[in-house]
């Protein structure tokens, strides 16, 4: 039996990177998956490739800052797959290049809107369907920078990921008695588009490597397997927790 047989999942930000890898893994483990993203061509292609491989997957345009898009996404998952058991709030945008003194308020707001408010809106939209299903699992993708700060990454990004960490615990205790588990995952530096600019800048890349005791960036699959565990019934007594996947970054 596959690890997510019979489950229906929404993965935000699933058109590429960690979200794409998670959607592919979920489908391979028997889940029906709705990918929600703003990169429509990429998302359509990922969904088509999962279906071509024998999986169940659809793509829907879903801007995580839009309440209407979340309503439509949840409604489509219910209509197409008959329920909702898992939500992975993975969509996110990277760090602003500004220090606090130079950070435009609009840039702060945009980061908080996508990375923090998007997680709240997704969670709020999914809860009624999960209550109908008798429970569910919500996995919020924070960051190692939601636990510790570094000087080279913007304060807005780190604050938004810190908000995801505590929102997760708040939601977990509110819905524990209803069987809805809510956990956060904290990746360290991972090989995705989000880190491409840093990885292509030799000095910055070497500097970030000195912060990882394992001495390398992680791969999306190394994060996706942690997400899979929290999404599945294998983690049935785990809620309000934070799973760190960072090569030892926060251990030092
Ligand atoms: P990525 O840029 O490859 O993927 C992010 C995805 O989110 C993209 O498909 C993008 O289109 C989507 N997205 C952005 N804004 C959106 C919006 N408003 N609505 C819907 N979708 C939107 O980056 P990734 O590394 O795969 O990032 C996935 C998550 O992991 C993010 O939350 C990120 O902050 C977090 N994370 C990444 C790293 C890393 O090193 N890559 C480290 C820690 C945490």
């Amino acid at each position: 039996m596959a690890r997510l047989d019979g489950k229906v999942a929404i993965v935000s930000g699933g058109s590429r990177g960690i979200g794409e890898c998670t959607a592919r893994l979920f489908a391979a483990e028997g889940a029906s998956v709705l990918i929600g993203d703003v990169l429509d061509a990429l998302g359509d292609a990922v969904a088509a490739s999962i279906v071509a491989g024998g999986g169940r997957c659809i793509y829907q345009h879903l801007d995580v800052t839009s309440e209407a898009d979340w309503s439509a996404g949840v409604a489509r998952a219910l209509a197409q797959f008959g329920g909702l058991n898992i939500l992975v709030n993975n969509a996110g945008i990277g760090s602003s290049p500004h220090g606090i003194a130079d950070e435009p308020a609009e840039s702060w707001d945009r980061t908080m809107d996508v990375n923090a408010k998007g997680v709240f809106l997704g969670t709020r939209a999914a809860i009624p369907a999960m209550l109908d299903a008798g429970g569910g699992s919500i996995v919020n993708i924070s960051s190692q920078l939601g636990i510790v700060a570094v000087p080279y990454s913007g304060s807005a990004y780190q604050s938004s990921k810190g908000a995801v960490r505590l929102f997760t615990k708040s939601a977990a205790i509110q819905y524990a008695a209803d069987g809805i588990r809510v956990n956060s995952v904290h990746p360290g530096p991972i090989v995705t588009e989000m880190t491409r600019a840093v990885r292509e800048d030799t000095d910055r890349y070497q500097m970030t490597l000195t912060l990882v005791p394992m001495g390398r960036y992680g791969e999306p699959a190394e994060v996706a397997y942690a997400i899979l565990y929290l999404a599945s019934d294998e983690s049935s007594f785990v809620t309000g927790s934070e799973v760190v996947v960072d090569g030892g970054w926060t251990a030092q």
Side-chain angles (χ1 to χ4, degrees), residues 16 18 37 39 62-64 90 142 157 161 187-188 190 192 195:
R16 69 181 190 195
I18 294 167
D37 205 301
L39 296 176
L62 194 167
D63 181 334
V64 295
N90 162 79
S142 175
Y157 182 80
K161 293 301 185 179
I190 307 297
T192 67
T195 57

Side-chain angles (χ1 to χ4, degrees), residues 2-3 8-9 13 16 28 31 41 70 83-84 89 113 138 153 178 202:
R3 296 170 72 181
V8 178
R16 69 181 190 195
W70 273 114
L84 180 62
N89 281 310
D113 274 357
I138 299 175
S153 169
D178 297 306
T202 306

Side-chain angles (χ1 to χ4, degrees), residues 119 138 140 146-147 162-176 180-186 239-244:
V119 172
I138 299 175
N140 297 326
I147 300 175
V164 171
R165 176 174 174 267
L166 252 296
F167 174 77
T168 298
K169 296 181 195 305
S170 178
I173 59 173
Q174 279 190 45
Y175 288 96
I180 301 176
R181 300 182 297 103
V182 193
N183 294 286
S184 55
V185 171
H186 300 258
T239 199
S241 81
E242 44 197 80
V243 175
V244 175

Side-chain angles (χ1 to χ4, degrees), residues 181-249:
R181 300 182 297 103
V182 193
N183 294 286
S184 55
V185 171
H186 300 258
I190 307 297
V191 179
T192 67
E193 276 303 309
M194 189 173 280
T195 57
R196 178 184 293 280
V198 174
R199 287 182 288 107
E200 289 178 351
D201 177 332
T202 306
D203 289 346
R204 290 172 73 200
Y205 183 55
Q206 290 304 326
M207 188 271 292
T208 54
L209 285 183
T210 66
L211 297 169
V212 190
M214 290 185 78
R216 66 172 176 87
Y217 276 45
E219 295 296 328
E222 295 179 292
V223 182
Y225 275 105
I227 300 171
L228 171 62
Y229 166 69
L230 293 171
S232 79
D233 293 339
E234 296 158 9
S235 57
S236 51
F237 198 49
V238 180
T239 199
S241 81
E242 44 197 80
V243 175
V244 175
V245 187
D246 71 351
W249 182 303

